[in-house]
Amino acid sequence: MSSLQNALEHYQARIGSEIGESSWVTVDQQMVDTFAETTRDKQWIHIDPERAAKDTPFGGTIAHGFLTLSLASGFASECFKPRPGQVMGINYGLNKVRFLNPVKVGSRLRGKFTLQGISVRSDTELLRETLLTIEIEGAERPALVAEWLGISVFDD
């Protein structure tokens, strides 16, 4: 059996199941400030703790939604280990992203992944559809949910 076929069967048996849950990551002000510099999104609700404490309902600064989403790659690397014969994984994009809850600076986040579907894309590629949920520790509603597509490339 080829590596791709083996992986396909592995994933087909797990459709609808949680694939993994990452460790917690703290979103601190330095992370937010670095992201603001990198993306040139320097809105005060992200980088001015005093004004954000006074003039927002959040009680302080909040992370950029795209910063929260960008943490997904690291969360995924913890949860999706390469299958035998897999030579790489490629981010294929997102079908839907919803930012449901602001992430206050100082919060801890983790990613949870539920496999929604798997299909053969070519002789060497599988397309994986995953529900990503980024949770905020202690919060009822997650920071975001997204339908994420990834390609697993195999050597045979």
Side-chain angles (χ1 to χ4, degrees), residues 137-156:
E137 187 176 44
E140 284 186 36
R141 287 185 350 171
L144 73 82
V145 294
E147 294 174 1
W148 193 5
L149 304 175
I151 297 173
S152 299
V153 181
F154 294 83
D155 60 5
D156 51 25

Side-chain angles (χ1 to χ4, degrees), residues 74-85:
F75 295 151
S77 68
E78 284 186 50
C79 296
F80 288 98
K81 301 303 178 199
R83 300 294 306 153

Side-chain angles (χ1 to χ4, degrees), residues 42-61:
K42 299 178 185 177
Q43 187 177 175
W44 62 269
I45 64 173
H46 305 302
I47 62 170
D48 187 339
E50 289 179 19
R51 184 174 176 194
K54 184 177 67 159
D55 294 338
T56 73
F58 311 120
T61 50

Side-chain angles (χ1 to χ4, degrees), residues 62-81:
I62 60 171
H64 305 72
F66 285 125
L67 166 57
T68 302
L69 179 60
S70 72
L71 295 172
S73 293
F75 295 151
S77 68
E78 284 186 50
C79 296
F80 288 98
K81 301 303 178 199

Side-chain angles (χ1 to χ4, degrees), residues 102 111 116 131-132 135 149:
Q116 293 184 304
L131 175 64
L132 161 66
E135 299 179 317
L149 304 175

